[in-house]
Amino acid sequence: MIKILKCGEVSRSEIFARTIPTVNVEDAVTAIIKNVKENGDRALREYTLKFDGADLKELLVSSEEIEEALGLVEPEFLEILNKAAANIRKFHSRQVRNSFIINDEDGIVIGQKVIPIERVGLYVPGGTAAYPSTVLMDSIPAKLAGCKEVAITTPCGKDGKVNPVILAAASIAGVDRIYKIGGAQAIAALAYGTETVNKVDKIVGPGNAYVAEAKRQVYGIVSIDMIAGPSEILALADGKSNPRYVAADLLSQAEHDRMASAVLVTDDAEFAVKVSEEIEKQLAVLPRCDIARASIDNNGKIIVADDLREAIDIANEIAPEHLELCVDNPFDYLDSIKNAGSVFMGRYCPEALGDYFAGPNHTLPTSGTARFSSPLSVDDFVKKTQYTYYTEGALSKVAEDIGYFAEKEGLSGHARSAVIRSRDRK
């Protein structure tokens, strides 16, 4: 059963402890990246045959394959994908930034240009489950940012075909290119380019330990969004919450990964026991019960705090990927939440609403990085360039100040570059 810990009766280390996977994949990933750099498409085909069992002739999904996939997906699901895409666009369109210019002094113009990243690559997992939601969440902000080319890499099946729901979501989101490759080799291909795969400027999207390590190794050659860890949920709930609902929400993340973290923080000890019992009942009928059971055993816990204020302090210290506020009047507590990737407000707002449909992004900081990181957004797909223009007269007014400043830093060359123009003018 899930562990129940009461504040004041256990150490802080027990409260905040988490099992972290320690699989060493660095050397294997280094070898894969080297092979892809040197052998391009040939290496990709070899890895796809080895890991996915598919003997590919073409690495790029054709327009005919996309049309075929659209015909295979139920019309009802296509409608749901379109509704979700509309919500995601509505939310992320508010994030679009504009360039600005300041010209309120004679002879001086300063400003900032917001420029879309030219090419981005989105990694979409395809191992134990297919994730069309990731396609929508990662590609729609890129399209809103104005990226010239948005490409997806995702593993194919043994038949050499990509899951139809992935292709349907990509079509709805307006993705430009889709590659039938997964794993560290896909990250290497996006970073360095091959005969078929166009080199990109940034890679985003979640993946397994090999994908995460590959992103870490290619960072600097390309930009990345984050090094994502296993999924996390923290439900902050009082005793008036329904234990069935809270247990279901915890298991919604536990079924993701054996190393996922499902945590309840409550101020009611009786409620803690009820949720624990309910988790056992629901685990018994959960199709992915083996994965969820391992997650609960590895990282599941219920923390009983003295009051909601202490519960919030614990939540802020854990800094979870997903935080549910299962309380009355959740907006009363929102300003107290300082560290969380995404917050779900009230008793009728399960985390799954954010995974699929509501509109805010589901690519979120994990492993406590919500202390300093943000959800994926349109900002991740743009860069900013600033510019400065001074006339001769405007520079002459401040040149001596610049020179004085530079000399204080011991950089006479800097000083000279400013004052030489001003003094020549005199």
Side-chain angles (χ1 to χ4, degrees), residues 37-301:
K37 283 175 64 177
E38 294 176 354
N39 298 299
D41 284 358
R42 188 179 75 183
L44 295 177
R45 290 191 177 93
E46 289 172 353
Y47 286 128
T48 303
L49 182 60
K50 178 180 179 180
F51 297 129
D52 302 318
D55 187 6
L56 293 181
K57 300 294 185 289
E58 298 293 335
L59 300 175
L60 185 67
V61 174
S62 67
S63 57
E64 291 78 15
E65 288 175 291
I66 295 172
E67 285 300 318
E68 179 186 3
L70 288 170
L72 293 173
V73 178
E74 304 94 324
E76 296 83 2
F77 187 56
L78 287 176
E79 183 179 352
I80 291 169
L81 283 175
N82 276 293
K83 288 178 180 178
N87 291 340
I88 295 165
R89 286 192 187 96
K90 180 169 67 174
F91 179 84
H92 289 81
S93 64
R94 296 293 187 97
Q95 298 173 341
V96 176
R97 294 178 181 266
N98 295 317
S99 301
F100 65 81
I101 184 170
I102 301 172
N103 184 17
D104 54 8
E105 294 184 54
D106 288 343
I108 300 174
V109 180
I110 54 177
Q112 177 176 277
K113 292 174 60 180
V114 178
I115 306 168
I117 293 174
E118 188 104 341
R119 289 191 175 97
V120 296
L122 317 176
Y123 188 87
V124 178
T128 59
Y131 297 102
S133 57
T134 297
V135 176
L136 299 179
M137 291 288 182
D138 290 1
S139 56
I140 289 174
K143 281 294 183 178
L144 286 170
C147 297
K148 181 179 177 182
E149 182 176 293
V150 177
I152 282 177
T153 63
T154 190
C156 63
K158 291 182 179 181
D159 59 358
K161 295 185 177 182
V162 174
N163 192 307
V165 297
I166 297 292
L167 298 184
S171 177
I172 289 169
V175 171
D176 300 296
R177 295 169 72 86
I178 307 167
Y179 303 107
K180 306 175 185 182
I181 49 175
Q185 61 271 24
I187 302 300
L190 290 172
Y192 293 98
T194 71
E195 299 91 329
T196 299
V197 181
N198 290 340
K199 182 183 186 302
V200 302
D201 304 302
K202 184 165 188 174
I203 300 171
V204 308
N208 63 18
Y210 290 87
V211 170
E213 174 61 20
K215 287 170 69 177
R216 188 190 68 79
Q217 290 194 26
V218 302
Y219 176 65
I221 303 299
V222 294
S223 178
I224 63 172
D225 53 345
M226 64 185 78
I227 305 295
S231 297
E232 304 164 352
I233 184 171
L234 187 150
L236 196 159
D238 60 22
K240 291 188 285 184
S241 300
N242 189 319
R244 292 174 58 243
Y245 300 169
V246 173
D249 293 353
L250 295 176
L251 291 174
S252 74
Q253 290 306 290
E255 74 171 354
H256 257 302
D257 189 304
R258 294 176 187 275
M259 288 295 117
S261 171
V263 176
L264 165 63
V265 186
T266 182
D267 61 346
D268 189 311
E270 289 185 15
F271 177 73
V273 173
K274 291 177 182 177
V275 172
S276 174
E277 293 170 346
E278 190 60 40
I279 286 173
E280 294 302 313
K281 291 179 186 177
Q282 294 187 28
L283 266 173
V285 296
L286 196 67
R288 291 168 66 90
C289 61
D290 289 347
I291 294 173
R293 164 58 70 193
S295 167
I296 292 297
D297 290 347
N298 287 325
N299 288 311
K301 65 184 71 171

Side-chain angles (χ1 to χ4, degrees), residues 297-316:
D297 290 347
N298 287 325
N299 288 311
K301 65 184 71 171
I302 299 174
I303 303 168
V304 181
D306 289 337
D307 51 38
L308 285 181
R309 182 171 297 280
E310 184 179 40
I312 289 171
D313 289 342
I314 292 168
N316 280 327

Side-chain angles (χ1 to χ4, degrees), residues 13-34:
S13 61
E14 288 181 87
I15 290 174
F16 296 106
R18 179 173 178 183
T19 301
I20 304 294
T22 56
V23 180
N24 185 1
V25 300
E26 183 176 349
D27 292 343
V29 169
T30 299
I32 290 171
I33 292 174
K34 182 176 184 292

